Structure formats: C-alpha cells, structure tokens
Amino acid sequence: MNENTLNEVLQMVEVVDVDFKRTFPPNYFDPSKKSSEREKARAELVKDVAAPANAESTNPGYLVYGINDQDGQRKVFRRNDIEREDESILSSFLAKYLDPAPKIEYGEFKRDGEVVGLLQVYRVPEYPHVIRQNLGNSIYAGQVFYREGTSTKLALHERLAAMFRDAKPFNVRRSSEELRTISLDLQKQGWHTSWIPEHEMNERLQEGGLLVYKAGTRRPYRTNSDFAATAWEYLMKRRPQQSPLK
C-alpha cells in the first residue's frame, strides 16, 4: 500500500470498486459515546467492507476515508478530530465479524493537512464473506452484503447461489484462445501475468499478486502443471511497478 495507489483510486469513478467516505463511521472511535451508537458505527464499517468483498468484479475494492465526493468533485474533508487507525487492529476487528475473514490492506496519507485513509479489500475465491455474529441492531449472523453499482444490498437466494457456484475454479488449457486473448488484454493494461503453483498462491498474494478470474465470476483460471499431471497452477497478475511474478 503506497500513495501511488491512492492517486490512482482518486481518479476512478465511484462504482462497484470504489466508495468515497468523508470519515470513518461516526462514533467508531469515540469511547464516550453510548454503546448502542458505537455498535451501530462499527456495524456500518463491517457492512462497508463486506459489500465490496462480495461484489462481482475482478478488481480489488477500495474505501477512501477523508474525501468528500460531490458529483465527481473530490475534496479533502476538513475536520477537527483526526483519528488514526491501524491495519492489524482493523483486520482483527473484521475477522471477528466476517467469515471468512477478508484480506485487506490499510494506509493513511497526508493530503492538504488532513489524514486520508485508503482501505483496500481483496476479492478472493473463498467467499461470500458472511456476518459471523450480531452487532447492535444493525447486522445479524448469517447475513451476506454485496455492492452493486453504488449501492449495498442484502444477498437473497438467487444471488447467494451464484456466489457459491462461482467459487469453483475454471479449468482451462494454456493453449486456449480464451487465455491468449486474456493475456493480451492484461498486457495492454500494463499487467505482468504468470502461472503460479497452487502451493505458492498464498505467498504470491502476500507479495501483491492477484488471481485472474473468469469474466463476470469469482472463478480463478486453473490448469494442470506441465511437469506433473496432478499439480494445479493458477493464472495471476501483478502491476508493472512491482517485480514480475517468478
């Protein structure tokens, strides 16, 4: 997570992948507030993260805190009480209320004398992220929220069925025309691509690599290794400013 990522996100349109927030949910930090108000604010944060994590998109989701977005005009939101957050605290908090725990990154950057927070939510095959336990009177165990356009919605039967169906990998041959087209499109967008052995996937994800999904699904591309018929490899991509995947 670095300021270049924030600069890129600030140029994006606010749709399924990007959500601009003036602040963290009101009362999220304030221990002097009534417990009910604090619980409501924290529940809002859980929903804000779950929604893009469960969205239908091949890109990460981004929540930008400290930016006021009015009809596409983005300005730093001025406030007197600058609160700071820590990635490890956020991850632990979200893991308490979402199953499986979402993979996130969080960074804070100075803009015009104020703090702007950028929360990156990765979209992974292990989803949907389900509310693990009740929080206040706002979210309840078993609920699944997802983002569609600029709205957060509660997933019902048809949507849930599609989510679980999309979790299965999409098996392909490396020589397929579909893969050639995908690789060319990704290269034009400035991505490096590589096939990664299944046992190295977690390491590559930690290094910044992203799985390539079949369009309109959360199904990663998977193929048999050239060296072992039973070994699976997954197609991954990485930004050009980072080292190519080995």
Side-chain angles (χ1 to χ4, degrees):
M1 175 71 66
N2 57 54
E3 197 161 1
N4 289 335
T5 305
L6 175 62
N7 293 334
E8 291 178 7
V9 174
L10 290 175
Q11 303 305 313
M12 296 179 183
V13 178
E14 185 177 38
V15 284
V16 67
D17 298 324
V18 183
D19 193 5
F20 292 99
K21 307 283 187 180
R22 294 194 304 171
T23 66
F24 264 78
N27 308 320
Y28 174 81
F29 299 95
D30 194 346
S32 68
K33 297 294 183 182
K34 295 179 181 178
S35 60
S36 60
E37 292 177 340
R38 232 180 154 211
E39 285 184 349
K40 182 178 180 181
R42 291 181 172 229
E44 182 182 340
L45 177 60
V46 174
K47 281 176 62 175
D48 286 345
V49 172
N54 289 329
E56 185 179 291
S57 176
T58 59
N59 302 311
Y62 296 99
L63 296 164
V64 187
Y65 294 96
I67 296 293
N68 191 28
D69 183 75
Q70 287 286 345
D71 300 321
Q73 298 296 314
R74 283 137 202 180
K75 295 182 180 180
V76 173
F77 180 63
R78 301 289 179 182
R79 59 198 190 279
N80 296 322
D81 54 334
I82 295 179
E83 299 288 358
R84 310 301 295 266
E85 191 50 280
D86 178 84
E87 181 180 306
S88 62
I89 294 175
L90 274 173
S91 293
S92 296
F93 168 72
L94 292 167
K96 182 179 179 181
Y97 290 99
L98 289 172
D99 178 33
K103 181 180 184 297
I104 67 162
E105 285 189 49
Y106 181 74
E108 293 180 337
F109 309 94
K110 274 295 189 72
R111 283 295 171 100
D112 298 336
E114 297 285 351
V115 176
V116 173
L118 178 63
L119 181 59
Q120 181 169 325
V121 184
Y122 289 92
R123 293 178 173 124
V124 296
E126 294 77 21
Y127 95 122
H129 302 273
V130 183
I131 301 299
R132 184 188 290 272
Q133 58 179 297
N134 300 356
L135 183 55
N137 295 315
S138 300
I139 58 176
Y140 300 92
Q143 289 181 318
V144 174
F145 294 95
Y146 69 99
R147 187 169 168 85
E148 186 174 83
T150 58
S151 302
T152 294
K153 298 183 177 182
L154 182 64
L156 300 179
H157 173 78
E158 184 176 351
R159 183 70 183 192
L160 286 171
M163 288 179 177
F164 284 107
R165 190 166 56 242
D166 283 350
K168 185 178 180 181
F170 187 74
N171 298 336
V172 292
R173 292 185 177 181
R174 288 197 190 189
S175 59
S176 70
E177 185 63 34
E178 180 178 13
L179 282 184
R180 282 197 289 269
T181 301
I182 290 168
S183 295
L184 286 173
D185 287 344
L186 289 171
Q187 289 172 23
K188 290 177 183 177
Q189 297 171 37
W191 293 94
H192 295 296
T193 60
S194 185
W195 287 96
I196 302 299
E198 188 169 25
H199 68 272
E200 294 182 14
M201 272 182 53
N202 287 337
E203 179 184 350
R204 300 308 182 195
L205 288 168
Q206 291 294 327
E207 293 175 352
L210 297 172
L211 284 166
V212 177
Y213 297 119
K214 184 174 176 62
T217 75
R218 194 70 64 89
R219 297 177 64 186
Y221 284 98
R222 184 176 73 170
T223 192
N224 283 113
S225 167
D226 290 336
F227 303 101
T230 58
W232 290 105
E233 295 184 338
Y234 289 78
L235 185 62
M236 297 187 75
K237 61 183 181 180
R238 191 177 183 124
R239 281 295 186 190
Q241 61 265 30
Q242 299 170 306
S243 300
L245 292 168
K246 297 178 182 178

